Amino acid sequence: EDQVTQSPEALRLQEGESSSLNCSYTVSGLRGLFWYRQDPGKGPEFLFTLYSAGEEKEKERLKATLTKKESFLHITAPKPEDSATYLCAVQGNTDKLIFGTGTRLQVFP
Amino acid sequence: DAGITQSPRHKVTETGTPVTLRCHQTENHRYMYWYRQDPGHGLRLIHYSYGVKDTDKGEVSDGYSVSRSKTEDFLLTLESATSSQTSVYFCAISDLALAQGANYGYTFGSGTRLTVV
């Protein structure tokens, strides 16, 4: 059974304090691992897709990496506007996305 | 946003009444999905559609039905609403025909907050 576990559930950072969010997964035939950002009262917004172990992608202060068992979302020198819930999802042979429960990030000035 | 709208945005209904939520897209994507999002459970798939009149069940389909008579519209119906169906419902679209390396996963709507009292 495809499964995604995200940790920590919540993370509080001071502005400029870098950290990482973890996404552990089990999936049959990984077709893609996705990171989304979700702001309160809104739908998830696409950030990255990773396809194979060793792949990395960057966008502003965010960098996503992928191994055969987990993905990390690294946040470098975060700002208050990076506060959001970050969701991880995997797509396997079933073609459907399986989501984790998310990490709620709060960045304080 | 990528041309996907959900209606209504908020709804309060009584236990036992039928409720229909609408998802409308202007992207001509083949695939459409209904998810519910609850604290501690994340996003869970209710039903999905892979074409007009082609639908299938997700992991939490009991008590829900769907219909897709046009490419652009995907309706979710709660036959007889229960308090356990109080949730935020998200519609999503995708085009799996995108070439490898251009898969952006799903595009989500803004959600419908449903309260069953």
Side-chain angles (χ1 to χ4, degrees):
Chain A
E1 180 180 339
D2 298 347
Q3 194 167 8
V4 176
T5 303
Q6 292 188 247
S7 61
E9 288 187 14
L11 183 62
R12 294 164 56 98
L13 298 174
Q14 201 73 32
E15 183 172 4
E17 179 187 2
S18 301
S19 188
S20 297
L21 282 53
N22 178 261
C23 172
S24 298
Y25 67 91
T26 55
V27 66
S28 298
L30 180 69
R31 293 188 58 187
L33 184 141
F34 303 85
W35 282 99
Y36 285 84
R37 169 189 171 129
Q38 186 175 22
D39 293 299
K42 296 188 177 181
E45 177 186 346
F46 171 79
L47 292 173
F48 304 108
T49 308
L50 301 168
Y51 295 99
S52 57
E55 188 175 0
E56 299 182 354
K57 289 194 176 174
E58 288 188 65
K59 180 180 180 180
E60 294 180 358
R61 295 176 292 282
L62 300 177
K63 183 168 90 171
T65 62
L66 181 65
T67 72
K68 290 186 177 180
K69 294 183 177 181
E70 58 191 351
S71 176
F72 292 94
L73 184 65
H74 306 279
I75 303 175
T76 301
K79 298 182 178 181
E81 53 262 43
D82 294 322
S83 297
T85 295
Y86 291 86
L87 302 174
C88 173
V90 295
Q91 184 180 38
N93 290 331
T94 64
D95 285 341
K96 296 186 283 291
L97 288 191
I98 305 299
F99 284 85
T101 53
T103 293
R104 187 174 68 255
L105 174 66
Q106 294 178 292
V107 182
F108 295 92
Chain B
D1 289 336
I4 176 171
T5 56
Q6 293 184 232
S7 60
R9 290 298 313 277
H10 302 273
K11 185 170 182 66
V12 179
T13 192
E14 292 185 352
T15 298
T17 61
V19 177
T20 296
L21 309 182
R22 181 181 184 235
C23 177
H24 178 79
Q25 61 145 331
T26 57
E27 302 298 311
N28 201 37
H29 281 347
R30 177 180 175 188
Y31 296 85
M32 299 185 75
Y33 308 82
W34 278 107
Y35 281 86
R36 60 178 289 173
Q37 187 173 40
D38 305 287
H41 289 281
L43 284 155
R44 292 180 292 173
L45 182 64
I46 305 171
H47 281 281
Y48 65 101
S49 170
Y50 44 94
V52 173
K53 297 187 179 179
D54 290 324
T55 65
D56 205 347
K57 296 179 180 180
E59 62 179 307
V60 290
S61 59
D62 287 347
Y64 302 94
S65 62
V66 290
S67 66
R68 191 170 179 197
S69 58
K70 299 184 290 185
T71 298
E72 56 267 35
D73 290 324
F74 192 32
L75 304 180
L76 176 70
T77 297
L78 288 65
E79 304 290 347
S80 176
T82 68
S83 58
S84 64
Q85 293 176 312
T86 292
S87 186
V88 181
Y89 292 86
F90 286 100
C91 177
I93 60 175
S94 77
D95 185 350
L96 293 181
L98 289 173
Q100 286 293 332
N103 186 350
Y104 296 107
Y106 301 174
T107 301
F108 285 84
S110 298
T112 294
R113 181 173 295 276
L114 176 68
T115 303
V116 183
V117 297

